[in-house]
Amino acid sequence: MTRANLQVETGALAEQVLLEGQRAVAVRYRRDGALLEVRAEREVILAGGAFNSPQLLLLSGIGPAAELRALGIEPRHDLPGVGRNLQDHQSVGALYAARGPITFESQLRFDRLALSALRWQLFGTGPIGDLPVGAQGFFKLDPGAPWPEVQFLVSPVSMQARSWFPGWRKGAGHVFSMANVVLHPRTRGSVTLRSSNPQDPPRILFNLLKAPEDRSTLRAMLRFVRRFFATPPAAELVSHELLPGPALQSDAELDGHLRRAVATAMHPTSTCAMGVDAEAVVDGELKVRGLEGLRVVDASVMPTIVGGNTNAPVIMIAEKAADFIRGREPLPAAVLTSPPGR
């Protein structure tokens, strides 16, 4: 924040990237009711994420021309892939009752939670400083798969966990909760505009569970969870299944649970995908194809979602973009070898 070449403006809503010919030259934004512009000496860089970057491109007339005209937006650059190809890791939960008061629930009693917060504030230690995920793994449901298909996370606390105190309100109870995550989803969605008004949120359609492969993967994960908690030593920690519930056994019954419980891992990507085909939005240097002076630097540029959490990959996208912008030579290619015995 002390850098002379950095200015941060809060409470501002970006409304449009301004073009002169085929070059991005400025950003128009609104703050405190006033419409303002900031000019770019070199480039405009969008980093609004998989929802807001395509939204701003569309509001700027950059996207599928016919759809823009239908909303009363003058097309400035016909780029059909903007907002397409939305991907996220689909996730469904499972719950098991704990065999006794052995979970993180005890630490959520209000007085203990307050003391834990004070301990963290003063010393940076204590249970409140830990993410309550007891175990997680990436693994294959099909031994012949080329890479892990699912991520499995076990938390010694309920998905509805909250602070509690006797006489005030009850806690969520001693349970183990699981998140079961599809790492390579086949389902694709989209981000489109509701209107030409920048203050209207975009229309986000995930199409969750549309691909039958995603449904079959999640069904297999729920059955794996049952085997996991029927096997010692995990079986010694739980008393019975709460969700989806032991009565649900068939594919149709489990699909019903999936439709009720499916969520995302909050890893949206790929709506301004990198590539060379007709649907690609940015090129290999993250420049918007067909335009000058405009890049997108966020998770939206991933052609396909990574098979894991998106935080570290997005940081590396930003590091790579910084090298592109500064004209740095790329690092030499790494030579990867398998560990002995693999």
Side-chain angles (χ1 to χ4, degrees), residues 172-193:
H174 286 276
V175 303
F176 288 91
S177 58
M178 279 62 65
N180 305 286
V181 181
V182 178
L183 293 177
H184 304 284
R186 302 292 184 89
T187 296
R188 299 292 183 265
S190 63
V191 175
T192 57
L193 297 180

Side-chain angles (χ1 to χ4, degrees), residues 109-130:
R109 202 177 81 173
F110 183 79
D111 55 339
R112 296 170 184 160
L113 192 61
L115 288 173
S116 292
L118 180 62
R119 178 179 170 183
W120 171 254
Q121 185 70 29
L122 294 176
F123 308 111
T125 61
I128 204 172
D130 291 329

